Amino acid sequence: MKFLFACVLVMALGFPAIAQNICPIIPMPAHAEKANGAFMLTRNTPIVADDILQPVVYYLQKELLRLKGLSLSRQGKTTMPAIKLSLATKPVVSAESYSLVMNADGITITAPSATGVFYGVISLIQLAQQATVHGDNLSIANWKIEDAPHYGWRGFMLDESRYFFGKEKVKSLLDWMAFYKLNRFHWHLTDEPGWRLEIKQYPLLAFIGGIGNVENPDRPAEFYTQEDIKEIVAYASERHIMVIPEIDMPGHATAANRAYPQFSGGGSAAHPEFTFNPGKTGTYTYITNILREVNVLFPAQMIHVGGDEVSYGNEKWKTDSSVNRLLKENKLADMKAAELYFMKRMADSIYRLNAKLLVWDEMAEADLPPANTVVFWWRQDKPETLKMALTKGYATVLCPRLPFYFDFVQDSTHKYGRRWNKNLYASLESVYNFSPAAVNVPADKSDLILGVQANLWTETVASNDRLDYLLFPRISALAENAWSAPAQRNYPTYLKRLQLQLPLYKKAKVYYYNPFEPGQHPEPLGTKE
């Protein structure tokens, strides 16, 4: 009923009123004040910036040419109305903060870092998207904006083990992440159906492990070469997005075990060859060598190693001689203890690479060093695990299934995708309104919350259209939840600004879910829950 009321309110106020009276930027800036008049952006408008900001200038030039057909040049000095980008000299609270001031004489974006300037440029690009066209020129309504993010971690995870989408689709997603000021791309590259990353030392991981997907186990191998990875990492870096790889272990290792079965710890009837073998010394050497290459390919100095759902497929550990020897020699009580032992050894390998270890919340039990470990809390039905992680001092990213698993359906009428307890789903409103207070994060532990992240698992995502349908417009709600302070967020106002985004999706040929007209785009096919 709240959503219906909000939609009626939006339609009653009307589209022109939205454009005139509300800052159209998503995520909503911390402070946005409408100024008098408009700035006329023409192909003769110069961009003035220091050399250190040249990558940001180049990005702005490319986006204005791509989106609006305007080719602007960079100049050292000018007396003409210009776009001026500069680094601030005064102290600021956040390196990602920025100031954007517009008037008839020019546009000035100031920030303490190139990242802050980039976010100011993103806000300008969003304003340009809503500009009035006058021939070849754009009349952009003037705004005065002071802005900074609420969270430093504003993440999105894509699972490409179950379905492989490819380089161009990933780049498109990175474009939209940048458009909404999201800054962490968590890339789930290995799991049961497929291994999607070339490792030079172990080529069969890609050539054999890359065969198949969740729907077709015989599909020819699909994976990213190391050159592909370098290209995508550079593309993300230009958009101030950090790419964080996930190499899942000790469970979810089926694809790897197809390639190198000598390191398999077996599985179960439902999940065959599911685990790496924690009892073999060679397993640790093998995985450490993989992680060394991964660490070079991804300069984030963070590697996510999963650590979840191991009990789904470690049945054969009980009868494996090497695992039983491990238990005896190290005085380990049970299979859970063997799992935690494995993770501690792999954690040491990652720490020696001067990288941080990222894990799902099951590993909050492992007593890993808090200074070098980040926990991702995903099991919203286990608040005690979140409490444990925070009590132990782990930096934590909040990504609970509800509302941040985007493979969950977003509308009560949808037939495909997941639901929780066959009933609950991840609506646009629930994504927007999520608050750490709702999951009882203690006030004195709030500084351990790095931010929020949405995860898109792809068991039911067999096409680009379905990927888009699950992501848009929820990605915009995620962005505002991550960027804008809770006291500032307002769902009805967000819906008004969201209306202005839908034509951008249509122009970009994004197959999106329209919350205002749910029947506009039929739900793409997927596997039923």
Side-chain angles (χ1 to χ4, degrees):
M1 289 300 294
K2 289 181 181 177
F3 180 75
L4 178 61
F5 172 78
C7 290
V8 170
L9 177 63
V10 167
M11 301 310 291
L13 289 173
F15 190 88
I18 296 170
Q20 291 173 11
N21 299 324
I22 295 176
C23 184
I25 295 171
I26 294 178
M28 172 65 82
H31 176 80
E33 179 184 342
K34 186 75 180 293
N36 293 327
F39 179 80
M40 188 64 70
L41 184 64
T42 77
R43 66 183 59 196
N44 296 317
T45 302
I47 303 173
V48 179
D50 295 334
D51 288 344
I52 196 171
L53 295 175
Q54 178 54 33
V56 181
V57 173
Y58 182 47
Y59 183 85
L60 175 59
Q61 288 174 309
K62 288 191 297 181
E63 288 299 282
L64 289 176
L65 181 60
R66 180 176 71 90
L67 297 170
K68 292 299 180 182
L70 285 174
S71 51
L72 275 56
S73 63
R74 179 187 169 208
Q75 296 183 17
K77 294 181 180 180
T78 183
T79 58
M80 297 174 58
I83 300 172
K84 298 178 181 178
L85 312 180
S86 63
L87 294 176
T89 55
K90 61 181 181 181
V92 290
V93 175
S94 167
E96 294 182 304
S97 65
Y98 69 90
S99 168
L100 188 155
V101 178
M102 303 174 63
N103 54 48
D105 295 327
I107 298 171
T108 301
I109 297 173
T110 308
S113 69
T115 299
V117 174
F118 178 80
Y119 291 137
V121 161
I122 291 296
S123 290
L124 174 58
I125 289 169
Q126 287 206 28
L127 293 172
Q129 289 279 63
Q130 308 299 337
T132 302
V133 178
H134 292 282
D136 294 333
N137 304 327
L138 298 178
S139 177
I140 308 176
N142 287 330
W143 288 88
K144 181 178 180 181
I145 294 172
E146 298 289 335
D147 200 7
H150 180 61
Y151 284 128
W153 190 291
R154 305 180 298 280
F156 171 67
M157 188 220 78
L158 178 66
D159 164 24
E160 280 203 85
S161 173
R162 291 169 175 85
Y163 278 103
F164 183 84
F165 296 96
K167 189 163 55 176
E168 294 311 310
K169 188 58 180 176
V170 169
K171 286 183 176 180
S172 173
L173 294 176
L174 291 169
D175 286 338
W176 283 106
M177 287 181 65
F179 189 75
Y180 288 126
K181 303 186 178 83
L182 296 171
N183 66 349
R184 299 288 187 270
F185 179 53
H186 174 174
W187 208 359
H188 188 82
L189 290 165
T190 73
D191 212 305
E192 292 181 81
W195 180 286
R196 307 301 181 195
L197 171 64
E198 178 189 24
I199 300 297
K200 298 286 189 182
Q201 191 168 347
Y202 303 102
L204 296 184
L205 284 170
F207 293 134
I208 301 298
I211 294 172
N213 60 31
V214 74
E215 188 175 50
N216 177 7
D218 298 319
R219 186 178 176 88
E222 295 176 294
F223 60 90
Y224 293 100
T225 67
Q226 294 198 358
E227 289 303 311
D228 292 333
I229 295 296
K230 292 173 187 175
E231 182 181 339
I232 291 170
V233 167
Y235 193 88
S237 180
E238 185 184 24
R239 287 149 182 78
H240 294 259
I241 296 170
M242 182 183 294
V243 183
I244 297 147
E246 181 177 353
I247 309 297
D248 219 338
M249 63 184 75
H252 295 276
T254 311
N257 289 336
R258 288 200 304 270
Y260 294 93
Q262 62 268 41
F263 303 112
S264 175
S268 63
H271 301 277
E273 305 305 325
F274 185 71
T275 63
F276 291 117
N277 192 316
K280 294 182 177 179
T281 302
T283 302
Y284 299 97
T285 303
Y286 165 63
I287 298 177
T288 297
N289 289 337
I290 292 169
L291 293 175
R292 285 181 178 278
E293 287 195 33
V294 170
N295 190 55
V296 171
L297 291 170
F298 296 91
Q301 290 188 289
M302 294 183 180
I303 302 176
H304 202 300
V305 295
D308 62 313
E309 300 177 333
V310 180
S311 61
Y312 284 12
N314 65 351
E315 221 171 78
K316 292 188 178 179
W317 287 12
K318 297 173 185 176
T319 56
D320 186 279
S321 60
S322 59
V323 175
N324 279 288
R325 185 170 57 252
L326 175 75
L327 295 178
K328 184 178 180 180
E329 290 178 354
N330 292 277
K331 297 181 173 57
L332 303 177
D334 52 24
M335 297 304 120
K336 184 65 178 181
E339 176 188 326
L340 299 181
Y341 172 89
F342 170 94
M343 191 56 70
K344 287 178 180 178
R345 284 194 60 170
M346 296 321 307
D348 286 341
S349 293
I350 289 176
Y351 300 148
R352 283 196 293 269
L353 296 173
N354 194 32
K356 284 197 173 184
L357 177 81
L358 279 52
V359 289
W360 299 115
D361 62 44
E362 286 93 330
M363 286 298 111
E365 299 178 43
D367 293 328
L368 299 162
N372 298 313
T373 306
V374 178
V375 170
F376 287 63
W377 181 66
W378 67 279
R379 295 180 295 173
Q380 90 289 341
D381 55 322
K382 294 190 178 296
E384 67 276 11
T385 305
L386 173 61
K387 181 179 180 181
M388 178 196 302
L390 296 175
T391 299
K392 290 184 175 183
Y394 288 118
T396 302
V397 175
L398 301 176
C399 52
R401 281 173 293 208
L402 292 177
F404 288 138
Y405 271 30
F406 281 6
D407 49 321
F408 278 66
V409 299
Q410 57 193 313
D411 186 295
S412 62
T413 66
H414 290 168
K415 299 178 181 179
Y416 303 101
R418 298 170 65 190
R419 297 170 188 262
W420 182 251
N421 289 337
K422 299 184 178 181
N423 183 36
L424 301 177
Y425 54 94
S427 68
L428 182 70
E429 185 173 8
S430 67
V431 173
Y432 186 86
N433 284 329
F434 173 81
S435 168
V439 293
N440 298 316
V441 172
D444 64 341
K445 301 294 184 183
S446 61
D447 60 329
L448 291 172
I449 303 300
L450 297 183
V452 296
Q453 176 172 296
N455 299 331
L456 183 49
W457 304 99
T458 57
E459 287 95 333
T460 68
V461 190
S463 68
N464 283 349
D465 279 354
R466 183 156 183 81
L467 177 62
D468 288 348
Y469 196 79
L470 293 172
L471 188 54
F472 296 90
R474 286 190 290 192
I475 188 174
S476 66
L478 166 70
E480 192 144 315
N481 186 285
W483 183 279
S484 305
Q488 181 192 7
R489 297 199 303 267
N490 180 281
Y491 187 63
T493 301
Y494 157 77
L495 288 177
K496 299 173 192 177
R497 288 176 290 120
L498 178 59
Q499 265 204 326
L500 299 172
Q501 301 285 306
L502 301 188
L504 306 182
Y505 299 162
K506 183 176 181 180
K507 185 178 179 182
K509 295 183 171 55
V510 168
Y511 193 87
Y512 62 94
Y513 167 70
N514 186 342
F516 307 105
E517 298 179 49
Q520 182 184 32
H521 294 144
E523 181 189 10
L525 294 179
T527 303
K528 290 188 178 181
E529 61 176 330

